[in-house]
Amino acid sequence: AISSGGLLSSDGPGDRLKSEYILKGYKDFGYDAVGVQWRDLAYGEDFVQHDGLQWIASNWRHDNFKNDIIITRKVAGKDRIIRVLSWLDPARSPMQAMASAEQPAIDDKQLVVDALTASKKRGETTVLTTTLPLQVAQQQFPVELIDILFIKSAYEVFGEPQKIGNTLVLQPGSRGMRIARLDMQLGEHGQITEWKHKVIAMPESVADAPRMAAWYEEYNAKVKADYLKRVELRKKRETGKSPYAGEAVCKTCHAAQHAVWFKTDHAIAFEDLESVNKAFDPDCIKCHTVAFEQDGGFVDINITPHLMGVQCENCHGAGRQHVEAAGKKPLGNATWKPEQMCAQCHVQKHSPGFDYSTYWPKIAH
């Protein structure tokens, strides 16, 4: 099992905890090799070392990560060796702007070329993981020395594998819910002579592995505990009147629009979280409630039940002043176009299948 990396995220308040459990999960899956990407280092080198994953960065300046990893499999009584290397692109280093700092990734492709050359002389199968687009990878490395080349991932989908000379080019997908399987036959010198590739989806119909139940339950318990701590802090911080009124107040003057909203999935967005035991995950709550983690916004179901779900004020802006002015004061987002309102939550990361022209008619009011 090989991954080209990019496992971790540091976009939201709960991402450090999520990243911790992603690493634990990968360790339990038994991955043979994982390439280092810059995003994996968001919380420092020590953070990714705890779980004993087989990380590779072939041009890393220090010995924190392995230069390569050898995978040995016995086929027809003969040991077959697959040597995995990984190029961490120095040009994308977050430390590039710090000219005086020592750059941890060495910008010397010859390190990789030498290792590939020696490996092919021994008749091994070579794998190089990168985050480079195909054309750039072809320009920077001698692909004739590479049997399997991982290139920059495609968003949400796996790219179609392609054979260029003796090199099989693989383009990973992003996020989860699917895994790719490669079956191959190897020639005498480690080259791929035949292959087939399959992307295996993991929808809800595929049962969860019982051995992973404790891992997932522990993660959810920690997320919930962290959320409850945040709630207590917000309770202490909240002062004065909230700028948000809630959908029931909006209904007083906008009954027809409210009736349309009430029949949409937006109205039950929080219940959807509860149904999958995610009503305490900040990454989910922020788009399933009104103004979570904003002053006067949703805190929890006991303190602010009137702000559960995706309501009028998610799209149109805080409405308290609008109500108190009997409609004479415009809402905060009064000048926004519907596309802008949708784009607050329906972004590629969270809603990859969202198409405005398809979904807007479902909620138009």
Side-chain angles (χ1 to χ4, degrees), residues 241-284:
K241 187 185 292 185
S242 169
Y244 300 94
E247 49 84 15
V249 176
C250 301
K251 178 183 177 181
T252 306
C253 296
H254 303 284
Q257 291 85 352
H258 186 278
V260 174
W261 167 83
F262 190 74
K263 294 177 182 179
T264 69
D265 288 344
H266 280 170
I268 57 169
F270 194 83
E271 286 84 344
D272 286 344
L273 289 187
E274 292 180 312
S275 70
V276 293
N277 197 28
K278 281 294 181 180
F280 48 79
D281 190 329
D283 284 348
C284 303

Side-chain angles (χ1 to χ4, degrees), residues 38 41 45 57-65 88-90 93-96 98 101-107 111:
W38 290 113
L41 302 174
E45 297 169 44
S58 301
N59 58 320
W60 195 250
R61 187 176 298 279
H62 309 291
D63 59 359
N64 309 59
F65 305 116
L88 184 62
D89 190 2
S93 168
M95 298 179 68
Q96 278 287 70
M98 302 168 62
E102 180 186 63
Q103 299 301 317
I106 304 170
D107 192 5
L111 294 169

Side-chain angles (χ1 to χ4, degrees), residues 26-201:
Y26 264 72
K27 176 63 185 304
D28 287 343
F29 294 157
Y31 268 73
D32 294 287
V34 183
V36 176
Q37 293 187 21
W38 290 113
R39 62 183 298 175
D40 296 317
L41 302 174
Y43 304 109
E45 297 169 44
D46 291 342
F47 184 84
V48 298
Q49 301 287 353
H50 292 160
D51 298 288
L53 281 179
Q54 299 298 304
W55 292 101
I56 326 163
S58 301
N59 58 320
W60 195 250
R61 187 176 298 279
H62 309 291
D63 59 359
N64 309 59
F65 305 116
K66 296 183 178 181
N67 293 324
D68 59 10
I69 285 178
I70 296 173
I71 302 171
T72 304
R73 296 289 183 269
K74 192 172 288 294
V75 181
K78 180 180 178 181
D79 282 344
R80 288 291 195 174
I81 294 177
I82 300 174
R83 188 175 298 269
V84 187
L85 299 101
S86 181
W87 174 256
L88 184 62
D89 190 2
R92 302 194 64 183
S93 168
M95 298 179 68
Q96 278 287 70
M98 302 168 62
S100 61
E102 180 186 63
Q103 299 301 317
I106 304 170
D107 192 5
D108 184 359
K109 299 174 186 64
Q110 196 61 41
L111 294 169
V112 173
V113 174
D114 290 346
L116 289 170
T117 302
S119 183
K120 290 311 297 177
K121 285 181 178 179
R122 291 189 291 266
E124 300 170 350
T125 301
T126 55
V127 179
L128 177 64
T129 77
T130 76
T131 56
L132 302 173
L134 175 57
Q135 288 186 334
V136 177
Q138 288 176 302
Q139 292 167 1
Q140 296 192 9
F141 294 101
V143 292
E144 66 274 8
L145 296 176
I146 305 168
D147 294 304
I148 300 175
L149 173 66
F150 283 76
I151 60 172
K152 182 180 180 180
S153 63
Y155 199 86
E156 284 301 311
V157 295
F158 285 75
E160 282 296 320
Q162 53 183 309
K163 193 84 178 287
I164 300 176
N166 290 325
T167 305
L168 182 62
V169 179
L170 301 179
Q171 185 173 38
S174 60
R175 303 194 354 150
M177 302 302 290
R178 58 191 73 82
I179 192 167
R181 171 174 171 158
L182 174 68
D183 292 277
M184 57 187 178
Q185 288 188 357
L186 302 178
E188 194 64 28
H189 302 289
Q191 76 277 21
I192 298 172
T193 57
E194 294 184 38
W195 60 275
K196 59 181 180 179
H197 182 269
K198 182 180 181 181
V199 176
I200 303 167

